[in-house]
């Protein structure tokens, strides 16, 4: 996880995390000039301020749709980071309780309903939903591009990092996200596997 994610879960400042990493007190390494923390934060619970209404709405929407469509700038980046935190947290239900200040959302959909479960103490349900395999119908190249791009950002990877994880050329990732001509089914499946996406359908390959 990155510095900001570790700091949120540990209840300390990002500056403190960077100092601990630089001093060798955390299992950490640098990738492309950024610290990557390789150990879980301590189990203690830190008091976190509730999110703003805008941030709550954005996170509930992404929990429901698994898509960052319609979000931009800092709201998009922070929402992706929060979903990443929820997926990696030991107690994601508590994070949701904190972020909503213990108050149930007034509007219910798939995302905000997860907050209701968290506040009701259904921690197992929250973990199950967050870790449920992602199955997607990806027959349309534009849908494939959106799903790959959004999931890559949610997982905090650059195109190069995704390509390295999948064992494919970076240009294949770029072609998928640009809705370019596709002729590498094996590579495409490797990318989806690296993102933990199970396709129920894929676009037809252009083998010319």
């Amino acid at each position: 996880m990155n510095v900001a994610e570790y700091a949120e879960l540990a209840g300390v400042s990002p500056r403190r995390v960077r100092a601990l990493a630089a001093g060798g007190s955390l299992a950490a390494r640098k990738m492309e000039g950024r610290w990557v923390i390789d150990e879980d934060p301590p189990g203690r619970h830190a008091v976190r301020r509730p999110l703003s209404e805008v941030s709550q709405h954005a996170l509930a929407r992404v929990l429901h749709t698994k898509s960052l469509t319609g979000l931009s700038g800092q709201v998009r980046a922070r929402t992706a980071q929060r979903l990443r935190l929820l997926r990696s947290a030991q107690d994601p239900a508590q994070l949701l309780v904190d972020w909503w200040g213990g108050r149930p959302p007034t509007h219910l959909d798939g995302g905000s309903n997860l907050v209701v479960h968290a506040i009701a103490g259904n921690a197992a349900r929250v973990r199950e939903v967050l870790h449920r395999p992602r199955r997607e119908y990806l027959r349309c190249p534009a849908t494939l591009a959106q799903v790959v791009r959004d999931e890559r950002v949610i997982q905090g990877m650059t195109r190069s990092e995704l390509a390295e994880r999948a064992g494919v050329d970076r240009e294949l990732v770029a072609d998928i996200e640009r809705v370019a001509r596709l002729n590498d089914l094996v590579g495409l499946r490797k990318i989806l596997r690296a993102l933990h996406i199970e396709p129920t359908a894929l676009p037809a390959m252009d083998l010319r």
Side-chain angles (χ1 to χ4, degrees):
M1 67 185 73
N2 64 31
V3 168
E5 292 166 348
Y6 188 95
E8 172 70 26
L9 290 172
V12 298
S13 70
R15 174 182 290 184
R16 177 62 176 160
V17 175
R18 283 189 286 269
L20 291 171
S25 298
L26 284 178
R29 55 197 159 85
K30 275 199 170 180
M31 289 183 60
E32 299 183 354
R34 297 177 298 176
W35 282 110
V36 176
I37 312 301
D38 293 323
E39 68 177 67
D40 292 331
R44 66 188 177 86
H45 169 58
V47 177
R48 303 174 186 90
R49 290 183 300 173
L51 302 180
S52 68
E53 187 175 341
V54 170
S55 295
Q56 288 176 351
H57 178 76
L59 180 56
R61 177 178 172 183
V62 173
L63 284 168
H64 179 52
T65 65
K66 301 183 181 66
S67 171
L68 299 172
T69 300
L71 302 180
S72 60
Q74 285 297 314
V75 172
R76 184 175 189 269
R78 288 173 180 167
T79 302
Q81 181 186 80
R82 285 170 183 137
L83 181 52
R84 193 158 64 245
L85 275 170
L86 285 168
R87 290 177 176 179
S88 63
Q90 293 179 343
D91 190 357
Q94 186 61 59
L95 272 178
L96 289 175
V97 172
D98 289 349
W99 285 341
W100 263 261
R103 299 177 179 175
T106 55
H107 172 73
L108 291 183
D109 57 23
S112 55
N113 190 51
L114 197 63
V115 179
V116 173
H117 279 289
I119 293 172
N122 298 329
R125 170 66 174 173
V126 173
R127 284 193 298 270
E128 186 272 328
V129 170
L130 288 170
H131 297 149
R132 184 181 294 163
R134 183 170 182 182
R135 297 183 176 89
E136 298 286 349
Y137 184 86
L138 303 174
R139 178 71 71 188
C140 172
T143 301
L144 172 66
Q146 176 188 310
V147 168
V148 168
R149 181 172 55 249
D150 286 353
E151 188 59 34
R152 173 179 64 78
V153 172
I154 289 169
Q155 294 190 26
M157 288 187 286
T158 64
R159 287 177 176 175
S160 296
E161 288 168 344
L162 174 55
E164 181 178 356
R165 178 187 288 186
V168 301
D169 190 271
R170 180 188 180 281
E171 284 307 304
L172 178 58
V173 179
D175 284 346
I176 291 170
E177 294 188 3
R178 289 195 299 251
V179 199
R181 181 169 65 92
L182 296 177
N183 56 13
D184 186 351
L185 180 60
V186 172
L188 171 58
R189 288 189 178 278
K190 286 181 177 180
I191 289 170
L192 293 174
R193 193 176 305 119
L195 291 170
H196 309 294
I197 295 171
E198 299 178 13
T200 59
L202 290 171
M205 294 292 108
D206 187 342
L207 301 178
R208 292 176 295 173

